[in-house]
Amino acid sequence: MKYSVVVVDDHNLLSQAIGSLIEDFEQFRVLYLCNNGQELIEKFKNPRNIPDIVLMDVNMPILNGIETTDHLRQHFPQVNVLALSIEEDENTILKMLRAGAKGYLMKDVKKTELENALLEVLKKGYYHTNTVAKILVGSLAQKETSVSSLKEREIEFIKHACTEKTYKEIADDMCLSYKTIEGYRNVLFEKLNLRNRTGLVIYAIKNKIFVP
Amino acid sequence: MKYSVVVVDDHNLLSQAIGSLIEDFEQFRVLYLCNNGQELIEKFKNPRNIPDIVLMDVNMPILNGIETTDHLRQHFPQVNVLALSIEEDENTILKMLRAGAKGYLMKDVKKTELENALLEVLKKGYYHTNTVAKILVGSLAQKETSVSSLKEREIEFIKHACTEKTYKEIADDMCLSYKTIEGYRNVLFEKLNLRNRTGLVIYAIKNKIFVP
DNA sequence: TCTGCATAGGGGTTTTTCCCTTTATTGATT
DNA sequence: AATCAATAAAGGGAAAAACCCCTATGCAGA
């Protein structure tokens, strides 16, 4: 009996293509393809649609890979989720693993490595490439002040700071005194170890607080 | 006789996967796969390696899709290049088409649309989805001041401006007077219609001059 | 010679950055 | 109930950096 795999990816061509690769593998078969997390969860309502492995893209519309993986971890812990993404961003990888993914594959993996990953996940319960392992180790150091430590109002301010507005204008927009805005800024410079507004903008974009 | 297709994509899995999709098509066969533009150009030295169609990714290391397409347009104009990318950025699409691509496919196309695109390109010499057509029309308006109108030294300055350095420090780094740096900045603000450095940073990131 | 361009200076206003203090509020701890 | 600690909001004052406008020189190419 072959192990069943489901591919979840909003890029239609990719999911089809990856599906057809998997069909070539001796020990695996594709159960079905999905375009996003919502479709997958819908499918899972029928127990016959629950596969051994889910190959999950991270960036998808409607219900993204992180949220979907989190849902699966809570409701279908027996399913092995393998993330498959072009996204090499450290935070994304960490979020995905925290959500319960058993491994994180870059989309540039070779066919044989994919097969290997599928086998390993079933055997050991996880599969990590060197790249991901390195990132994991790296994340243990520093990173004390992550986005999650920022307050709601600070995040809001940062978004305003990522525009051409002066602080005076931001103060007006947020219905606060100019001096209060200065306070927010100074606290953030301190917390995030920044020198000036440019640093804050770059930080915001790196951490996806502001998407240009 | 089937038409020959070459897939150029640094994401190994993708190129293999797309390749195997194409093998399913009645009228097409995959000649070989490449990881980047340089590999492709190397291959072309042997005339038997020149295919009817090249499916080209845009973002690749070493020699990217735009440069590669440009090279093919100049040296092998008989080859039809179809861009295949997740990149939906307007400027990127325009650059690719300007470089000589006969069409631009998003990676979320369906299998049948890919086949259709391959056939159309051979028949009509081009293939454009609605999305791309819309972007082309949109680009006719505005967009006078595109990245391409910026000078080499200006681009360099912009990259420096996307750091926490002060203009004084940037001046030192670029071995120019502080006043010259101010000149660059003022010219850019004028050209790109910006108010301050924050605007410049956002512009740089949007246009991929600086990648955070 | 004229033009365009890179470079750079003078001098001024506005904005940003930095330090330090104050007040009101809220939530927790005696 | 009284006290304490933490926090959000706000202000004064000053130096540094950013922003703005206008001018000038030297050099390469038409």
Side-chain angles (χ1 to χ4, degrees), chain B residues 151 153 175-180 182 184:
Chain B
K151 302 189 216 318
R153 204 71 171 147
C175 297
L176 291 171
S177 147
Y178 168 70
K179 279 295 179 179
T180 308
E182 280 202 310
Y184 279 110

Side-chain angles (χ1 to χ4, degrees), chain A residues 115-194:
Chain A
E115 187 171 17
N116 190 33
L118 293 174
L119 289 168
E120 287 275 302
V121 154
L122 292 174
K123 204 167 67 180
K124 296 205 220 156
Y126 65 89
Y127 175 85
H128 292 306
T129 58
N130 283 343
T131 323
V132 172
K134 236 178 258 168
I135 287 170
L136 279 174
V137 171
S139 82
L140 295 178
Q142 15 121 10
K143 285 283 164 183
E144 203 49 56
T145 47
S146 70
V147 177
S148 51
S149 76
L150 300 182
K151 302 191 214 323
E152 207 41 56
R153 205 71 171 146
E154 285 171 345
I155 302 264
E156 203 185 324
F157 162 71
I158 293 179
K159 286 178 183 165
H160 282 286
C162 291
T163 69
E164 291 192 306
K165 288 196 274 255
T166 66
Y167 289 128
K168 174 79 186 60
E169 288 165 347
I170 294 174
D172 290 347
D173 279 8
M174 289 179 72
C175 296
L176 291 171
S177 146
Y178 167 71
K179 277 297 178 177
T180 308
I181 289 300
E182 278 204 310
Y184 278 108
R185 183 203 54 199
N186 291 338
V187 166
L188 285 168
F189 281 4
E190 176 66 28
K191 268 194 198 175
L192 306 173
N193 204 5
L194 303 171

